């Protein structure tokens, strides 16, 4: 069986380094907001090319805290409209409704799966105050950066799938908006051994607010200036991330090589490949997502041939029971994406032999 993602094998590459890092935390006797968290925050900020990074408990909290801080600053208030792609993972939308903001679901570009400049332009109203762009599957969605700047719209990035993706100028995911949320959920390209997340920003005031909000709203122990929450990056997870971060660029290269192999060798008129120019580094292939009209049949056929695949995602947010008020809305592009996408196995350790088998099976469908 070719697994969709073999996390044990991925982490085994760094086994002894991870063990040492965990023992160091144990020996330090300091388990919350210690040296490993501080080190990770400064390394990840420099990796992303931002002035600040704040470690938080997970990717959802990263986004929740960004919007909460923007509200504390008075830049947003309850009921303000925020544009967000209709085909995103539910976390992007939960971060808005959690803060009493109003998500305006926008159809993505059909070929990139991402929010486009045109999507932003056609959905903007007088009530639109912010845009939450999502670098879905690991591909930058930054078309709207200049427009948001000109229109005074706050741009926030959901970079949970896009660690290290960069544009032609070498600017990385997490450095385009007022702030960005990252997830280090184990299956993400930079994955911890549990939940973890971070916010990156160039704005010092926002960084300090997010830091406080994620730590009980306190600047100084037992002095609470804001009604915060407990959402801190765990010291052990930070120690593990410190081991893995130096390897991420080489892992991205391997993911891109694997994607390139699929791009060049999958030849089946029933299958649409991702829209990606092989010479650009704007895609880090957290997921390699193909489209097929008979998707469910294709998935079953691949499984019969011992190839595991996953659907990201089977149900769009507006069709979820959590958002009953949207269940009757119609987003044809989004719905078509959810009906036709299929994610193939991809990782820094997928072998050429495995890929050849996957391609051969796909080409015979
Ligand atoms: C994973 C993910 C999140 C949430 O991250 P968690 O760490 O699981 O809370 C948010 N947005 C997107 C696009 C994601 O893929």
């Amino acid at each position: 069986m070719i697994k969709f993602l073999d996390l044990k094998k991925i982490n085994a590459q760094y086994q002894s380094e991870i063990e040492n890092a965990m023992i160091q935390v144990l020996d330090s006797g300091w388990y919350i907001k210690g040296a490993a968290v501080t080190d990770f925050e400064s390394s990840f900020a420099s990796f992303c090319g931002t002035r600040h990074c704040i470690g938080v408990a997970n990717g959802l909290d990263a986004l929740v805290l960004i919007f909460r801080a923007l509200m504390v600053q008075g830049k947003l208030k309850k009921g303000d409209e925020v544009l967000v792609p209709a085909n995103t993972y539910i976390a992007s939308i939960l971060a808005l409704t959690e803060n009493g903001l109003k998500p305006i679901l926008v159809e993505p570009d059909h070929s990139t799966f991402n929010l486009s400049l045109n999507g932003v332009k056609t959905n903007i109203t007088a009530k639109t105050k912010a845009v939450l762009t999502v670098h879905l599957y690991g591909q930058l969605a930054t078309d709207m950066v200049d427009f948001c700047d000109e229109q005074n719209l706050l741009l926030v990035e959901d970079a949970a799938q896009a660690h290290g993706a960069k544009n032609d100028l070498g600017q990385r995911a997490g450095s385009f908006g007022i702030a960005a949320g990252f997830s280090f959920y184990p299956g993400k390209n930079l994955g911890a051994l549990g939940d973890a997340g971070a916010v990156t920003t160039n704005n010092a005031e926002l960084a300090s607010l997010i830091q406080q909000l994620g730590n009980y709203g306190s600047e100084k122990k037992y002095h609470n200036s804001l009604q915060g929450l407990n959402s801190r990056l765990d010291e052990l997870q930070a120690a593990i991330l410190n081991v893995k971060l130096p390897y991420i660029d080489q892992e991205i290269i391997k993911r891109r090589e694997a994607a390139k192999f699929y791009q060049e060798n999958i030849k089946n008129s029933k299958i649409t490949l991702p829209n990606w120019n092989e010479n650009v580094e704007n895609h880090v292939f957290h997921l390699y997502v193909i489209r097929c009209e008979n998707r469910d049949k294709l998935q079953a056929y691949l499984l019969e041939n011992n190839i595991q695949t996953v659907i990201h995602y089977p149900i769009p947010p507006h069709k979820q029971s959590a958002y009953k008020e949207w269940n009757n809305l119609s987003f044809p592009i989004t719905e078509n994406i959810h009906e036709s996408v299929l994610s193939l196995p991809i990782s820094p350790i997928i072998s050429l032999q495995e890929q050849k088998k996957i391609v051969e099976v796909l080409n015979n469908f």
Side-chain angles (χ1 to χ4, degrees), residues 116-129:
S116 66
L117 174 58
N118 188 48
V120 170
K121 282 185 174 168
T122 50
N123 283 275
I124 183 172
T125 71
K127 287 188 193 156
T128 312
K129 292 291 170 326

Side-chain angles (χ1 to χ4, degrees), residues 58-60 63 88-89 91-92 134 158 160-161 183 185 188 196 313:
N58 56 64
L60 171 60
L63 297 169
T88 186
Y89 179 57
S92 327
V134 183
D158 181 338
Q161 302 188 355
S183 166
Y185 178 81
K188 299 286 158 81
Y313 299 92

Side-chain angles (χ1 to χ4, degrees), residues 53-241:
C53 167
I54 306 100
V56 299
N58 56 64
L60 171 60
D61 280 4
L63 297 169
V64 168
L65 286 164
I66 291 168
F67 286 102
R68 180 87 31 105
L70 290 169
M71 293 174 86
V72 170
Q73 284 185 312
K75 289 181 178 157
L76 289 175
K77 59 178 189 323
K78 282 199 193 303
D80 281 348
E81 293 185 355
V82 182
L83 304 186
V84 60
N87 62 320
T88 186
Y89 179 57
I90 194 100
S92 327
I93 294 173
L94 288 169
L96 301 176
T97 52
E98 173 69 24
N99 280 302
L101 297 164
K102 187 174 178 204
I104 301 298
L105 305 180
V106 177
E107 288 270 52
D109 179 282
H110 195 250
S111 73
T112 62
F113 306 105
N114 274 334
L115 186 60
S116 66
L117 174 58
N118 188 48
V120 170
K121 282 185 174 168
T122 50
N123 283 275
I124 183 172
T125 71
K127 287 188 193 156
T128 312
K129 292 291 170 326
V131 175
L132 175 54
T133 188
V134 183
H135 308 307
L136 201 68
Y137 308 147
Q139 186 166 33
L140 286 182
T142 52
D143 284 6
M144 72 299 287
V145 173
D146 293 340
F147 180 77
C148 288
D149 215 31
E150 286 157 27
Q151 301 288 317
N152 262 324
L153 289 172
L154 296 163
L155 179 67
V156 175
E157 300 168 69
D158 181 338
Q161 302 188 355
H163 323 71
K166 54 184 167 184
N167 69 6
D168 300 345
L169 302 172
Q171 297 168 304
R172 301 244 200 195
S175 69
F176 294 97
I178 178 96
F182 284 89
S183 166
F184 310 114
Y185 178 81
K188 299 286 158 81
N189 284 16
L190 180 59
L193 304 189
D195 279 310
V199 173
T200 55
T201 178
N202 284 317
N203 185 309
E205 187 187 313
L206 199 62
S208 151
L209 269 178
I210 289 167
Q211 175 81 50
Q212 288 175 56
L213 283 169
N215 189 27
Y216 287 108
S218 96
E219 205 170 356
K220 195 169 136 202
K221 205 166 188 182
Y222 305 130
H223 293 252
N224 303 85
S225 41
L226 297 162
Q227 295 174 17
L229 45 149
N230 178 353
S231 180
R232 299 180 288 230
L233 172 58
D234 186 83
E235 183 74 3
L236 264 178
Q237 300 303 339
I240 292 158
L241 292 168

